[in-house]
Amino acid sequence: MTSNPVLMRSFLLALLSVILLPVPLLADGQTTQIAISGEAAPDANGSYSSFGAPVLNADGQAAFRGLLTGTSGGFTDDSGIFRGAGGIVTQIAREGQAAPDANGSYSFLSFSPALNAGGQAAFLGALTGTSGGSTDDSGIFRGVGGTITQIAREDQAAPDANGSYTFFGSPALNAGGQAAFLGALTGTSGGSTDDSGIFRGAGGIVTQIAREGQAAPDANGSYSFLSFSPALNA
């Protein structure tokens, strides 16, 4: 290596210029804009102001929670769950929209919905104006743009009729439209020893997968805690 400072400086500048040369984009490295703040909501009632973290399916569709400004209902309809792939954005659910059974309307929608290959999104929704007040004001729902299906509802009886739902974790969703979720329960026979479980449903009968207090497969101990975010296969 030369000890001449002028030559050394020229060498380093040349090396730096090579390092900083722009790297050609990969053929599939294009960026697609799904939604941007200031853009109108699909129903033209307000415009996006911020977004939750999106989820993506194999077809390149993204589902996300969007906060809105300038809506007709102010804070009562200023958020929603949306899906897009670069082009038309579809509204899955909207704050202020009636629940599928017309018992209350959405007051909060989960920050990160689940999305399957068919474009169905599952989400946790809080509700206001329900017949049971604080006893039936949340649920797990699934929508594709249009009809929304109720998977499970707070105050609904557990599959084995031992207690009723009082709280839900965020759902997972598979290609068949089945949602898996953690459900906390009240009014169980074992009190705090059997008051949560992992459940699966698609709109209709709900199946219990595992229950707090249930024996482990090898009968060495029993479940005392179950994860908030289960995984679900096809």
Side-chain angles (χ1 to χ4, degrees):
M1 181 70 71
T2 178
S3 60
N4 186 313
V6 176
L7 291 177
M8 176 65 76
R9 182 173 179 272
S10 298
F11 171 77
L12 291 174
L13 287 173
L15 179 62
L16 184 61
S17 67
V18 172
I19 292 172
L20 294 179
L21 281 175
V23 179
L25 289 175
L26 296 175
D28 61 350
Q30 297 178 341
T31 299
T32 300
Q33 179 178 297
I34 305 297
I36 190 168
S37 58
E39 185 176 57
D43 61 0
N45 180 19
S47 55
Y48 300 120
S49 59
S50 63
F51 304 95
V55 291
L56 193 67
N57 69 13
D59 292 329
Q61 295 175 312
F64 58 92
R65 179 175 184 259
L67 295 180
L68 300 150
T69 186
T71 62
S72 59
F75 68 88
T76 66
D77 65 351
D78 62 353
S79 68
I81 301 291
F82 305 93
R83 185 195 68 237
I88 296 174
V89 175
T90 299
Q91 181 172 287
I92 304 296
R94 182 71 175 263
E95 185 183 357
Q97 179 181 349
D101 61 0
N103 180 19
S105 56
Y106 296 118
S107 60
F108 178 84
L109 300 164
S110 59
F111 283 102
S112 187
L115 182 66
N116 68 12
Q120 295 176 314
F123 59 93
L124 170 64
L127 299 148
T128 187
T130 62
S131 59
S134 62
T135 66
D136 64 350
D137 61 353
S138 68
I140 299 291
F141 304 91
R142 185 194 67 232
V144 70
T147 302
I148 294 176
T149 299
Q150 182 172 286
I151 306 296
R153 181 71 175 263
E154 186 182 355
D155 202 38
Q156 177 184 341
D160 61 0
N162 179 21
S164 56
Y165 298 120
T166 185
F167 173 83
F168 300 102
S170 295
L173 186 68
N174 69 11
Q178 296 174 313
F181 57 93
L182 170 74
L185 299 151
T186 186
T188 63
S189 59
S192 62
T193 65
D194 64 351
D195 61 353
S196 68
I198 300 293
F199 305 91
R200 185 192 67 231
I205 296 173
V206 175
T207 299
Q208 182 172 287
I209 305 297
R211 181 70 175 262
E212 185 183 357
Q214 178 183 344
D218 62 359
N220 183 17
S222 56
Y223 299 123
S224 62
F225 176 83
L226 300 164
S227 67
F228 282 94
S229 300
L232 183 65
N233 67 11

